[in-house]
């Protein structure tokens, strides 16, 4: 299988290299200097185990500034907070999906890993893909990883995957690098689960900070 990974940041690059253990992978990023660095065989991230993984899969991984035709496309771009509107900025997601829409064909798979608000797949992503080609298979599989433990978490954590039966077999092949379970559901549920997980984590951190402030007072 040929896989295009769009977005080569702290999640996208490790994901691309893990996928390259079994598949031919092209990593895509709009940052030309990053693409040049990767094609020179250098890594911009200091993450435990990433160097050795790159050495293992270097012959099956290349980088480019635009998507090219593939069997599956994995989108891992950021969704920063829009400080003015206090909502997720989906501009990177829209741009990435539109770039994939330029090359996607019928029956190919598009996976969105970026964390997005519930309803984003239904209202934004899937309509763009539906206009691009017939019967594009789609899945939302939000990433879950902590810096300094990225590879460990990507290969051990369970994953919630919002998809349909048409994509199940390809999804299992794509994420064969993980020992965790794949919990299959619909895209909106997967979006909601990730929102709940992030909220729980943030509340826990906030509570710990409040107790620390009280203890120091």
């Amino acid at each position: 299988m040929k896989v295009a990974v769009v977005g080569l940041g702290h999640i996208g690059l490790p994901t691309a290299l893990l996928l390259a253990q079994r598949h031919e992978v092209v990593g895509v990023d709009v940052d030309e200097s990053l693409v040049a660095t990767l094609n020179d065989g250098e890594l911009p991230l200091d993450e435990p185990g990433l160097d050795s993984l790159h050495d293992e899969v270097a012959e099956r991984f290349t980088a480019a500034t635009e998507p090219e035709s593939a069997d599956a496309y994995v989108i891992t771009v950021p969704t920063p907070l829009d400080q003015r509107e206090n909502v997720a900025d989906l501009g990177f997601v829209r741009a990435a999906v539109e770039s994939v829409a330029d090359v996607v064909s019928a029956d190919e798979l598009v996976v969105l890993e970026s964390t997005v608000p519930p309803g984003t797949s239904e209202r934004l992503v899937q309509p763009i893909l539906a206009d691009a080609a017939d019967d594009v298979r789609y899945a939302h599989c939000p990433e879950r990883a902590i810096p300094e433990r990225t590879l460990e978490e990507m290969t051990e954590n369970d994953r919630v995957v919002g998809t349909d039966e048409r994509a199940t077999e390809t999804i299992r092949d794509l994420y064969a690098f993980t020992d965790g379970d794949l919990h299959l559901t619909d895209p909106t549920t997967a979006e909601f689960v990730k929102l709940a997980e992030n909220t729980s984590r943030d509340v826990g951190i906030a509570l710990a900070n409040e107790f620390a402030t009280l203890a120091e007072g």
Side-chain angles (χ1 to χ4, degrees):
M1 184 191 308
K2 181 177 180 180
V3 184
V5 178
V6 183
L8 296 176
H10 291 279
I11 296 297
L13 182 56
T15 298
L17 296 181
L18 285 169
L19 288 168
Q21 291 177 310
R22 291 170 52 91
H23 308 291
E24 177 189 354
V25 176
V26 55
V28 182
D29 202 284
V30 295
D31 186 336
E32 294 182 359
S33 62
L34 171 61
V35 169
T37 295
L38 290 170
N39 284 331
D40 285 340
E42 301 177 14
L43 294 180
L45 298 181
D46 184 16
E47 183 70 36
L50 202 63
D51 284 336
S52 58
L53 176 60
H54 178 261
D55 291 342
E56 175 190 338
V57 304
E59 292 185 356
R60 291 187 296 276
F61 172 77
T62 59
T65 56
E66 296 181 358
E68 56 188 61
S69 181
D71 301 299
Y73 307 83
V74 179
I75 297 173
T76 60
V77 295
T79 52
L81 180 67
D82 184 325
Q83 298 291 343
R84 183 171 56 184
E85 301 293 336
N86 201 32
V87 296
D89 181 351
L90 299 177
F92 293 113
V93 171
R94 178 184 291 275
V97 174
E98 289 176 344
S99 71
V100 167
D102 288 337
V103 296
V104 73
S105 299
D107 293 324
E108 293 174 346
L109 173 67
V110 178
V111 180
L112 176 65
E113 286 201 359
S114 305
T115 300
V116 294
T120 299
S121 294
E122 181 180 2
R123 295 195 294 265
L124 173 64
V125 180
Q126 289 175 290
I128 294 174
L129 297 175
D131 287 341
D134 293 331
D135 297 322
V136 174
R137 292 175 292 167
Y138 175 74
H140 176 52
C141 183
E143 49 76 17
R144 300 171 63 240
I146 299 173
E148 302 299 322
R149 294 184 54 191
T150 298
L151 292 180
E152 179 182 349
E153 297 220 338
M154 283 184 173
T155 55
E156 295 180 3
N157 286 347
D158 289 0
R159 287 177 176 257
V160 177
V161 186
T163 188
D164 58 36
E165 292 182 358
R166 296 185 309 127
T168 300
E169 183 178 348
T170 307
I171 286 290
R172 294 193 184 281
D173 186 20
L174 196 67
Y175 289 102
F177 61 77
T178 179
D179 294 326
D181 294 329
L182 299 180
H183 301 278
L184 301 179
T185 182
D186 60 89
T188 301
T189 299
E191 292 165 345
F192 189 84
V193 168
K194 183 59 189 295
L195 174 65
E197 182 180 32
N198 282 7
T199 301
S200 177
R201 180 195 61 193
D202 291 345
V203 169
I205 293 172
L207 181 61
N209 288 338
E210 288 298 318
F211 277 124
T213 300
L214 288 173
E216 293 172 355

